[in-house]
């Protein structure tokens, strides 16, 4: 399961990332609201844990953007704002759950598990480019009918490129011609 953490406090962000990772989640973390929107725009997350007050856009704006753009991610607001009016505003804006700081980490994990059990609409569509397919739900990558094993970084780069095919560079005929050594390349020897 993939989780986005949007928290500007570096120490708390590190605790959240380490704790969620130890619990078996794949975690991406950002410290700014605009970065959270970018991640939600380009990647599929099962759950996002979002602080209210962040530079680059407040968490409430991130949640509003996610709901206006039909992002299926379950959104958990994690904030020190504890008045009933704040909780009502967060939930009415589109947060699926609201947890006030300070919090018990076990409770946070239980809430993430509960959000994960809730149906979130239809599964993300399988991405296809030529003979290459990528399933954002299972993270399976297949080329010409054969499974392809990728590292996490390779997978994220491939997913990003496949979601933006119009901005992806296409190979040119000159790329397939004979290769010539670069005049700037130097041969290095391991022996002295």
């Amino acid at each position: 399961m993939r989780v986005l953490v949007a928290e500007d406090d570096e120490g708390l962000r590190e605790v959240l990332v380490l704790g969620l990772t130890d619990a078996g989640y794949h975690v991406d973390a950002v410290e700014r609201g605009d970065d959270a929107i970018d991640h939600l725009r380009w990647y599929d997350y099962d759950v996002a844990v979002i602080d209210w007050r962040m530079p680059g856009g407040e968490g409430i704006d991130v949640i509003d953007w996610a709901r206006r753009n039909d992002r299926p991610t379950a959104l958990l607001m994690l904030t020190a704002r504890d008045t009933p009016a704040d909780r009502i505003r967060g939930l009415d804006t589109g947060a699926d759950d609201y947890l006030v700081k300070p919090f018990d980490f076990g409770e946070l994990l239980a809430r993430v598990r509960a959000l994960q059990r809730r149906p979130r609409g239809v599964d993300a569509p399988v991405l296809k480019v030529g003979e290459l397919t990528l399933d954002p739900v299972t993270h399976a990558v297949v080329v010409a009918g054969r499974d392809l094993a990728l590292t996490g970084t390779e997978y994220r780069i491939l997913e990003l490129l496949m979601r933006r095919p119009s901005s992806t560079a296409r190979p040119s005929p000159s790329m397939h011609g004979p290769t010539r050594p670069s005049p700037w390349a130097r041969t290095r020897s391991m022996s002295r």
Side-chain angles (χ1 to χ4, degrees), residues 178-185:
T179 58
R180 294 185 198 111
S182 166
W184 297 280

Side-chain angles (χ1 to χ4, degrees), residues 52-164:
W52 191 306
R53 293 183 190 212
M54 292 181 288
E58 291 194 332
I60 199 79
D61 299 324
V62 173
I63 288 171
D64 181 58
W65 179 91
R67 292 305 176 232
R68 283 186 294 106
N69 288 277
D70 299 320
R71 299 308 299 162
T73 304
L75 304 171
L76 170 64
M77 178 70 78
L78 179 65
T79 179
R81 296 182 70 147
D82 62 352
T83 68
D86 289 332
R87 289 191 296 264
I88 291 166
R89 182 174 174 212
L91 293 167
D92 282 349
T93 300
D96 296 290
D97 200 356
Y98 195 102
L99 184 60
V100 176
K101 299 174 187 172
F103 61 95
D104 178 81
F105 199 81
E107 181 181 0
L108 174 81
L109 288 175
R111 288 172 182 260
V112 168
R113 288 190 301 271
L115 289 171
Q116 158 185 9
R117 288 191 301 268
R118 294 181 188 170
R120 299 298 313 164
V122 265
D123 290 338
V126 173
L127 305 174
K128 289 187 171 205
V129 176
E131 292 187 0
L132 176 65
T133 61
L134 181 145
D135 186 335
V137 175
T138 64
H139 294 245
V141 178
V142 178
V143 179
R146 293 177 43 195
D147 289 338
L148 180 64
L150 298 176
T151 66
T153 301
E154 291 168 337
Y155 176 87
R156 288 190 299 275
I157 291 169
L158 179 61
E159 180 182 11
L160 180 63
L161 292 173
M162 290 181 76
R163 288 187 183 282
R164 300 181 66 191

Side-chain angles (χ1 to χ4, degrees), residues 16-79:
L16 290 168
V17 169
L18 288 172
L20 288 164
T21 301
D22 285 347
Y25 299 104
H26 172 81
V27 183
D28 293 330
V30 297
E31 65 179 298
R32 299 176 49 88
D34 49 359
D35 291 337
I37 289 173
D38 284 343
H39 275 69
L40 289 168
R41 175 181 291 127
W42 298 115
Y43 301 106
D44 291 319
Y45 291 97
D46 300 291
V47 175
V49 178
I50 302 172
D51 183 23
W52 191 306
R53 293 183 190 212
M54 292 181 288
E58 291 194 332
I60 199 79
D61 299 324
V62 173
I63 288 171
D64 181 58
W65 179 91
R67 292 305 176 232
R68 283 186 294 106
N69 288 277
D70 299 320
R71 299 308 299 162
T73 304
L75 304 171
L76 170 64
M77 178 70 78
L78 179 65
T79 179

